[in-house]
Amino acid sequence: MTPGSTNLAFPAAVAGSADTAVFLLRRPGLFRSAPGRAVGSVAFLAMWITLATRTAHEGGGKPTPATVALSGAAFAGSVAMLAIHLRNRVATPRVFLGTALGGVALADCIRRAQR
């Protein structure tokens, strides 16, 4: 990381990873009761972990187009999840947090890509 540069995408991705992992750990029965939801959550966890790894590796430098696309996918997935929860009237602070984290990661990647 260069002096004065920041990488907000990394802590956002780590927080997204932790939140998704805790969600899965607290609901071990989800794999039996709602396997599709469980697999989707595992895929989302893999996406967050990949984003955290990529942003850590890139530091505060210019992200690769793949990292920008991955952050966009994390944000889009979070927005979709928020919409589904709002439609079903089961939105909790977690889904708003996930969307905010995805937005921070995407905004930071775009900001750093434009340097």
Side-chain angles (χ1 to χ4, degrees), residues 32-85:
R32 286 186 304 281
S33 64
R37 184 176 179 199
V39 169
S41 294
V42 169
F44 218 81
L45 176 60
M47 182 170 48
W48 277 122
I49 290 171
T50 303
L51 183 59
T53 303
R54 293 185 69 89
T55 56
H57 175 71
E58 294 166 352
K62 189 171 184 173
T64 64
T67 301
V68 176
L70 187 60
S71 66
F75 179 62
S78 297
V79 168
M81 199 176 323
L82 175 61
I84 290 167
H85 282 84

Side-chain angles (χ1 to χ4, degrees), residues 71-101:
S71 66
F75 179 62
S78 297
V79 168
M81 199 176 323
L82 175 61
I84 290 167
H85 282 84
L86 288 173
R87 184 185 71 210
N88 291 305
R89 294 185 170 90
V90 292
T92 63
R94 274 193 67 249
V95 293
F96 290 98
L97 175 65
T99 304
L101 292 171

Side-chain angles (χ1 to χ4, degrees), residues 3-39:
S5 67
T6 57
N7 180 355
L8 298 175
F10 174 69
V14 169
S17 299
D19 175 58
T20 306
V22 168
F23 172 80
L24 286 166
L25 289 171
R26 287 186 172 175
R27 293 162 182 83
L30 191 64
F31 289 90
R32 286 186 304 281
S33 64
R37 184 176 179 199
V39 169

